[in-house]
Amino acid sequence: DVKVTQSSRYLVKRTGEKVFLECVQDMDHENMFWYRQDPGLGLRLIYFSYDVKMKEKGDIPEGYSVSREKKERFSLILESASTNQTSMYLCASRFLDSTFGGRKTEAFFGQGTRLTVV
Amino acid sequence: TQLLEQSPQFLSIQEGENLTVYCNSSSVFSSLQWYRQEPGEGPVLLVTVVTGGEVKKLKRLTFQFGDARKDSSLHITAAQPGDTGLYLCAGVGRGGSNYKLTFGKGTLLTVNP
C-alpha cells in the first residue's frame, strides 16, 4: 500500500515563526502536491512538484515556499507564519503514468496537518 | 486558473433516496477524478473518467463525464448512512500541465437513517 506521511497531525505556531511541514511518500512517485483545505473553500493548490528539485506554483503560493531535494520528500515552508495561514494542510503524491500522460493515476493523500497560528 | 464548480455544496437526505452531485468547469480536462473524504482523513479516490461521454459504475454510484470533457456528475442510488462524507471532483490538466490536479470545493453529503 502507498503511504504518504505528514510529520505532524496538529501544530501550533506563533505569528512570525518560520514553519516547516514535512511530507514523505514511499512509492517513488514523481508528482507531489501541497494543498490547504478550509471550510467552504475546498482544497486549494499551493505548490506542486513533478520531479526532484522541480516545483511550480499552484493557485495560492503567496507566503509559502517548497523544497524537493529528494524524490520521496516534499516540504512546505511558511516563511513568516500569519494567522490567515491557520488551516488544514494536505500533502499528496501521484505516479506519472507515461502511457496515459498522467491522466489516470490516483493521488494518495496524507492524513493532514492542522496548523494553528496564534 | 482552471476552476471546478461543484453543486450542491451541502446535501442532507434520508436513507434510500437518490441524489446527484454536479461538477462543472469552463475548462477542458484530460480526465476527471472523484474522491471521497471522511472527517480526519485525506481524500480517497473513487473513480477516474477519461473519455468524453464515459459512464462508470461503482456499486450504487454512477459517474459520468460530459461529452466535451468539461463537466461530470455523480449519482447515488438508494443512499445509505455509510455514504456520508465530502465528495470532491478533481480535474487533471491537459498537455504540459497534466500533472496538475485541481479540486472543486466539494459536496458535503449527510445521509440520515
Side-chain angles (χ1 to χ4, degrees), chain A residues 52-67:
Chain A
V52 177
K53 296 190 187 294
M54 306 304 288
K55 59 187 178 184
E56 283 202 24
K57 294 180 180 179
D59 300 317
I60 53 163
E62 297 77 22
Y64 303 94
S65 62
V66 290
S67 173

Side-chain angles (χ1 to χ4, degrees), chain A residues 9 31 33 35 37 39-43 45 48 50 56-59 88 90 94 96 100-112, chain B residues 1-2 9 30-33 35 37 40-45 48-50 86 88 92-93 95-106:
Chain A
R9 288 298 298 270
N31 222 178
F33 305 82
Y35 294 90
Q37 185 172 29
L41 297 177
L43 271 72
L45 182 62
F48 61 103
Y50 49 93
E56 283 202 24
K57 294 180 180 179
D59 300 317
M88 170 67 82
L90 286 163
R94 192 164 74 104
L96 286 187
F100 297 101
R103 287 178 294 163
K104 288 193 173 184
T105 55
E106 173 179 2
F108 293 89
F109 283 83
Q111 288 188 298
Chain B
T1 302
Q2 296 175 306
Q9 190 174 355
S30 60
S31 65
L32 205 138
Q33 299 180 324
Y35 290 78
Q37 184 179 21
E41 303 291 331
V44 176
L45 182 71
T48 300
V49 285
V50 179
L86 179 67
L88 295 153
V92 179
S97 64
N98 63 3
Y99 33 74
K100 183 177 181 180
L101 202 56
T102 303
F103 281 83
K105 292 183 180 180

